[in-house]
């Protein structure tokens, strides 16, 4: 083997340009940051935080208002349904018949009709008897729970059941018509 170091030609070192030294000027004095920039930055951060808090409070308040209005709307819907039921009961045939009976009106068993084309009377043409076969106050043909305890317009001390309104002892003591609360749990039937 031949010596490779002797076989390769020698390279000349690359010429480097000579460095020139120069005098550095005196460093400029470091400027102090202006206080105004720092104050503006901190004030901006505080303003952003306050705006976020204010928007959060307004959003929360709006949520509570929506919840309250939703509850109020639900209550008004229930009240509206109760009033519709009351009006339906007061417009029922049973209630109207009971009020008519309280006024002294009677039901004619053989009604007469007036034909409008020629003015002829169809039927017996006699007045109804003094007493009606249907007792609308004491015995309604179809019971109606909506008006069972509603006083009659023509006789405020009577209901469609015919029983005068007399407050119960429990109602007078508590001032409420609701049943007493169940403290022993739900009532269950006795089984064997």
């Amino acid at each position: 083997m031949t010596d490779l170091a002797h076989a390769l030609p020698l390279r000349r070192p690359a010429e480097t340009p000579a460095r020139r030294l120069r005098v550095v000027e005196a460093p400029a004095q470091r400027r102090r940051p202006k206080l105004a920039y720092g104050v503006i930055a901190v004030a901006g951060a505080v303003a952003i935080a306050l705006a976020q808090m204010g928007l959060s409070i307004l959003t929360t308040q709006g949520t509570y208002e929506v919840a309250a209005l939703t509850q109020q709307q639900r209550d008004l819907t229930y009240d509206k349904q109760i009033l519709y039921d009351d009006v339906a009961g007061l417009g029922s045939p049973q209630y109207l018949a009971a009020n008519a009976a309280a006024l002294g009106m009677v039901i004619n068993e053989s009604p007469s009709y007036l034909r409008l084309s020629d003015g002829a009377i169809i039927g017996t043409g006699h007045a109804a008897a003094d007493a009606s076969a249907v007792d609308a106050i004491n015995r309604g043909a179809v019971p109606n729970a909506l008006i069972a305890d509603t006083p009659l317009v023509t006789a405020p001390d009577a209901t469609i059941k015919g029983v005068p309104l007399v407050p119960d002892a429990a109602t007078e003591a508590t001032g409420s018509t609701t049943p007493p609360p169940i403290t022993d749990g739900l009532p269950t039937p006795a089984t064997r």
Side-chain angles (χ1 to χ4, degrees):
M1 285 211 168
T2 60
D3 194 353
L4 288 177
H6 293 290
L8 293 175
L10 291 176
R11 289 189 181 177
R12 278 204 234 136
E15 291 183 19
T16 59
R19 291 187 184 174
R20 293 184 179 219
L21 297 177
R22 60 185 177 93
V23 176
V24 178
E25 297 173 10
Q29 288 185 354
R30 191 171 182 195
R31 292 184 181 177
R32 292 172 115 195
K34 292 190 176 181
L35 184 62
Y37 296 133
V39 169
I40 290 173
V42 170
V46 168
I48 289 172
L50 289 175
Q52 258 184 333
M53 248 193 300
L55 288 174
S56 176
I57 289 170
L58 290 175
T59 303
T60 304
Q61 180 182 0
T63 303
Y64 284 120
E65 287 176 2
V66 167
L69 290 173
T70 303
Q71 179 65 34
Q72 184 180 7
Q73 182 180 9
R74 187 177 306 122
D75 293 342
L76 290 174
T77 302
Y78 291 149
D79 291 345
K80 180 176 113 179
Q81 185 61 43
I82 289 169
L83 291 175
Y84 278 148
D85 290 345
D86 289 346
V87 168
L90 296 176
S92 69
Q94 297 95 340
Y95 191 71
L96 295 175
N99 276 307
L103 284 173
M105 296 179 169
V106 293
I107 297 174
N108 191 357
E109 296 297 322
S110 57
S112 299
Y113 300 97
L114 179 63
R115 187 170 44 204
L116 294 178
S117 61
D118 61 356
I121 297 175
I122 301 172
T124 61
H126 297 345
D130 290 339
S132 179
V134 177
D135 188 7
I137 293 180
N138 294 323
R139 291 183 295 125
V142 179
N144 190 341
L146 292 175
I147 57 169
D149 295 325
T150 305
L152 299 176
V153 175
T154 54
D157 56 340
T159 65
I160 198 167
K161 291 180 178 180
V163 179
L165 288 176
V166 176
D168 297 339
T171 305
E172 288 177 359
T174 61
S176 172
T177 58
T178 58
I182 299 173
T183 56
D184 299 335
L186 293 175
T188 56
T191 58
R192 296 180 191 184

